[in-house]
Amino acid sequence: MRYILKYSVMNNPVNVEYENISMRGRSHYWGEIYVSLSDKQIEYASLTEDVLTDVKFKSQASNMSGYTVRTINLSRVE
């Protein structure tokens, strides 16, 4: 028997400033965590994130748009 935790967080600001580059955008992420009720160990977990960014290099006149999707899966090894 297991307990499932679901989570989601939307519209997180992404703001990065370096000497030659700045990036602004937002991040959404969501997933699930499966926890065994017998031994309280994580059996499985997943995370999916999508990020939209507007990147400005100080040496370039125009901005670049970015879109990143990542998926992470964690499985218990016996």
Side-chain angles (χ1 to χ4, degrees):
M1 188 164 215
R2 47 181 104 125
Y3 185 76
I4 301 172
L5 299 145
K6 293 186 177 212
Y7 62 92
S8 65
V9 181
M10 303 295 167
N11 293 316
N12 292 292
V14 175
N15 298 311
V16 178
E17 292 286 337
Y18 291 112
E19 185 175 321
N20 296 319
I21 186 173
S22 65
M23 180 173 62
R24 302 243 182 270
R26 65 99 183 119
S27 164
H28 300 323
Y29 64 89
W30 59 93
E32 298 178 341
I33 303 170
Y34 293 66
V35 179
S36 168
L37 292 178
S38 61
D39 63 6
K40 309 297 188 260
Q41 296 294 309
I42 294 174
E43 293 183 352
Y44 174 80
S46 68
L47 173 131
T48 302
E49 179 183 33
D50 91 339
V51 182
L52 288 174
T53 55
D54 183 54
V55 180
K56 172 68 175 142
F57 293 95
K58 293 195 171 142
S59 61
Q60 294 181 351
S62 61
N63 294 4
M64 290 177 32
S65 296
Y67 179 64
T68 304
V69 176
R70 69 177 171 157
T71 302
I72 299 171
N73 292 306
L74 172 76
S75 297
R76 185 174 177 172
V77 176
E78 298 289 330

